[in-house]
Amino acid sequence: MVRKPVVSTISKGSYLQGNVNGRLPSLGNKEPPGKEKVQLKRKVTLLRGISIIIGTIIGAGIFISPKGVLENTGSVGMSLTIWTVCGVLSLFGALSYAELGTSIKKSGGHYTYILEVFGPLPAFVRVWVELLVIRPAATAVISLAFGRYILEPFFIQCEIPALAIKLITAVGITVVMVLNSMSVSWSARIQIVLTFCKLTAILIIIVPGVMQLIKGQTQNFKDAFSGRDSSITRLPLAFYYGMYAYAGWFYLNFVTEEVENPEKTIPLAICISMVIVTIGYVLTNVAYFTTINAEELLLSDAVAVTFSERLLGNFSLAVPIFVALSCFGSMNGGVFAVSRLFYVASREGHLPEILSMIHVHKHTPLPAVIVLHPLTMIMLFSGDLDSLLNFLSFARWLFIGLAVAGLIYLRYKCPDMHRPFKIPLFIPALFSFTCLFMVALSLYSDPFSTGIGFVITLTGVPAYYLFIIWDKKPRWFRIMSERITRSLQIILEVVPEEDKL
């Protein structure tokens, strides 16, 4: 573990007190009678856990990625195969995380598991690339889908202006940040409502599709594996699009310390969620092909809207609204979960100390939430959706593969570790191998995007030695850092978390 640097910060309950001898006083650990401790509460129940997973997985992916999967596979049959395989692989990854989450009962997800198994350097590199690339890019991707679909009913006969999409997207991102800063409970409740909206959107597509199959509309499934040629080197990109649509099964592990009875809740929430999502995704793609052929799907920028316009008539205007709510739910769930990663990394001394502080009244990790806002805005206005998707996939799956490989390592290094939920060893072995293989092959099939991701990932190594290991920083730098931290504490009304008894 990396020892957290000692910084003079405003202590519990004292952020409004006066300055004594040049230092802000601490009231210690004694609390006034009846006053709640300033710490994150265990408010994530089984239903909220399921809503975090389903609500984060089902977002833009199923409504955008069918085009990317088909484009890189070349046939209807192969694209449906990729969707099914990605569902199974995601289930394997989710089961691996269920074991890790019940064995290592700390929040932080990938970061925490890499820290426990491989040590501080790779863990720092993980949170470094998450902060600079993965999370801002992922939030920008899902937010751009939100902006496009929310404006779709107002631009039926013409193209939506790109600037309008980005401006509405910026508003949506800001609303999500404010919501997660204000209340954990309200964020969780809204997530449950949005999860039901997501499932409604999926059903609106599946039910008419099943009716089409009953009517015999199967022409697009004839010679399903014939089509335009596609090189095997493009399959990793097809997997990326598919795995991106399933991404989100790992987010509950980011908030383990806030889960009620995690030993039971985490495995149950993961298993229930993945069964629902996998069945829903495969049926949704089948439904698309009952009405849209391969060539038409590749020409569509909004597959779900194209499908609904052909089958649902005037009711089709409701589909983009449901899809936009679905994307908003993914934005909300992602910010809720990943802010805890930054919170834990700061607690371990890998990020500025201000990010490990909690609002004194609202009990939310306010600094860890709002730090995402400027970074996401930069990513939003500096790239297109496809390049962002390829860009973030490399780093994300590299570290997820390493985290699951760590499970195998722990089996041999710590055979007596308490494991309330244990899976067969071939599951993490197959999943981690697949992740690392896709990452390696992607360097060949899309060297530009993945190359940029690889270079940015490597910048975490010198950053680790500069910001974490080097402890002889200039006195002016230490004084400035201390003053900035104390000023931000007063402005944001945040203090360090009190120890949990």
Side-chain angles (χ1 to χ4, degrees):
M1 296 286 182
V2 174
R3 183 176 63 85
K4 189 172 182 177
V6 178
V7 180
S8 175
T9 57
I10 305 172
S11 303
K12 314 168 185 67
S14 65
Y15 68 97
L16 294 179
Q17 299 291 327
N19 192 309
V20 180
N21 295 326
R23 299 179 67 86
L24 287 160
S26 169
L27 294 182
N29 290 324
K30 285 183 90 174
E31 294 290 337
K35 183 179 178 181
E36 282 189 299
K37 290 196 173 204
V38 180
Q39 57 187 211
L40 299 178
K41 311 295 184 182
R42 290 190 180 273
K43 293 186 176 181
V44 180
T45 60
L46 177 60
L47 179 59
R48 288 179 176 179
I50 292 172
S51 73
I52 288 173
I53 298 173
I54 294 181
T56 309
I57 294 177
I58 302 177
I62 189 61
F63 309 108
I64 294 176
S65 293
K67 178 180 177 180
V69 172
L70 181 62
E71 190 174 29
N72 288 285
T73 55
S75 68
V76 171
M78 194 62 188
S79 71
L80 291 176
T81 301
I82 291 293
W83 278 103
T84 304
V85 171
C86 286
V88 174
L89 285 173
S90 296
L91 176 61
F92 283 2
L95 290 173
S96 301
Y97 265 54
E99 177 174 330
L100 285 168
T102 53
S103 302
I104 304 172
K105 299 182 184 66
K106 296 180 182 179
S107 296
H110 327 314
Y111 166 81
T112 296
Y113 307 142
I114 292 173
L115 178 65
E116 293 288 329
V117 176
F118 299 109
L121 174 57
F124 175 84
V125 173
R126 169 69 182 98
V127 76
W128 172 265
V129 75
E130 179 78 30
L131 182 62
L132 291 183
V133 181
I134 297 178
R135 182 43 40 191
T139 304
V141 167
I142 189 68
S143 302
L144 283 169
F146 164 78
R148 171 175 291 279
Y149 277 100
I150 201 71
L151 291 174
E152 190 76 30
F154 304 100
F155 292 86
I156 298 175
Q157 303 298 329
C158 59
E159 185 70 21
I160 306 174
L163 181 59
I165 293 176
K166 292 191 174 184
L167 289 176
I168 290 296
T169 297
V171 172
I173 292 170
T174 303
V175 170
V176 167
M177 300 293 177
V178 171
L179 174 63
N180 279 273
S181 300
M182 297 298 291
S183 171
V184 172
S185 295
W186 273 107
S187 179
R189 289 168 189 158
I190 290 175
Q191 188 69 11
I192 293 173
V193 173
L194 292 173
T195 297
F196 283 106
C197 291
K198 294 167 183 283
L199 295 176
T200 301
I202 293 290
L203 287 174
I204 288 174
I205 294 171
I206 291 175
V207 172
V210 171
M211 293 176 65
Q212 288 288 91
L213 286 177
I214 293 173
K215 293 177 182 178
Q217 298 295 324
T218 59
Q219 62 272 15
N220 292 331
F221 298 100
K222 293 178 181 177
D223 299 321
F225 288 90
S226 65
R228 63 181 183 83
D229 293 331
S230 182
S231 171
I232 191 172
T233 58
R234 295 180 66 87
L235 285 181
L237 292 179
F239 271 104
Y240 276 157
Y241 277 101
M243 296 295 280
Y244 164 72
Y246 283 100
W249 47 262
F250 40 76
Y251 280 128
L252 188 59
N253 294 65
F254 283 42
V255 298
T256 301
E257 295 172 27
E258 297 172 68
V259 176
E260 292 182 358
N261 193 8
E263 293 187 358
K264 292 183 179 179
T265 301
I266 291 177
L268 269 177
I270 284 175
C271 291
I272 293 171
S273 301
M274 290 310 301
V275 169
I276 293 173
V277 171
T278 302
I279 293 174
Y281 272 17
V282 174
L283 290 179
T284 298
N285 278 277
V286 170
Y288 284 148
F289 288 116
T290 63
T291 305
I292 306 173
N293 62 36
E295 290 74 18
E296 292 169 332
L297 191 145
L298 290 174
L299 293 174
S300 174
D301 290 326
V303 180
V305 174
T306 302
F307 174 87
S308 62
E309 286 174 348
R310 295 194 179 183
L311 288 186
L312 303 179
N314 292 332
F315 186 70
S316 64
L317 292 176
V319 171
I321 302 299
F322 276 109
V323 175
L325 291 173
S326 176
C327 296
F328 189 84
S330 288
M331 294 158 60
N332 181 60
V335 170
F336 177 84
V338 177
S339 61
R340 273 58 177 179
L341 185 153
F342 300 144
Y343 167 82
V344 172
S346 173
R347 193 172 63 186
E348 297 289 343
H350 284 171
L351 289 177
E353 189 180 14
I354 188 68
L355 298 183
S356 65
M357 297 188 187
I358 298 172
H359 195 279
V360 291
H361 303 303
K362 305 182 187 303
H363 294 179
T364 60
L366 178 61
V369 173
I370 63 176
V371 71
L372 288 169
H373 191 271
L375 296 170
T376 304
M377 290 299 173
I378 292 171
M379 193 69 74
L380 174 65
F381 288 96
S382 62
D384 64 87
L385 193 144
D386 286 333
S387 63
L388 287 177
L389 179 56
N390 295 339
F391 189 42
L392 71 93
S393 291
F394 163 80
R396 167 181 280 174
W397 296 113
L398 171 64
F399 286 104
I400 290 177
L402 286 176
V404 174
L407 184 154
I408 302 172
Y409 177 76
L410 286 175
R411 286 284 187 92
Y412 291 98
K413 181 183 178 182
C414 306
D416 298 326
M417 174 185 283
H418 178 58
R419 295 180 174 88
F421 183 81
K422 192 173 181 179
I423 59 175
L425 203 57
F426 81 89
I427 290 178
L430 178 60
F431 180 80
S432 58
F433 172 79
T434 303
C435 286
L436 299 178
F437 175 76
M438 290 195 319
V439 167
L441 198 54
S442 70
L443 285 169
Y444 174 77
S445 60
D446 188 12
F448 180 74
S449 294
T450 52
I452 291 176
F454 184 68
V455 170
I456 291 181
T457 300
L458 288 181
T459 63
V461 176
Y464 173 74
Y465 287 98
L466 177 63
F467 296 118
I468 307 301
I469 297 299
W470 183 40
D471 57 359
K472 295 182 179 179
K473 296 179 178 66
R475 184 171 179 271
W476 65 265
F477 179 84
R478 297 197 302 271
I479 293 174
M480 182 181 67
S481 298
E482 178 181 334
R483 288 178 178 174
I484 291 174
T485 299
R486 291 163 60 187
S487 298
L488 287 174
Q489 280 191 261
I490 294 172
I491 293 170
L492 300 176
E493 297 186 342
V494 294
V495 294
E497 181 184 32
E498 298 184 48
D499 294 333
K500 296 179 180 180
L501 298 179

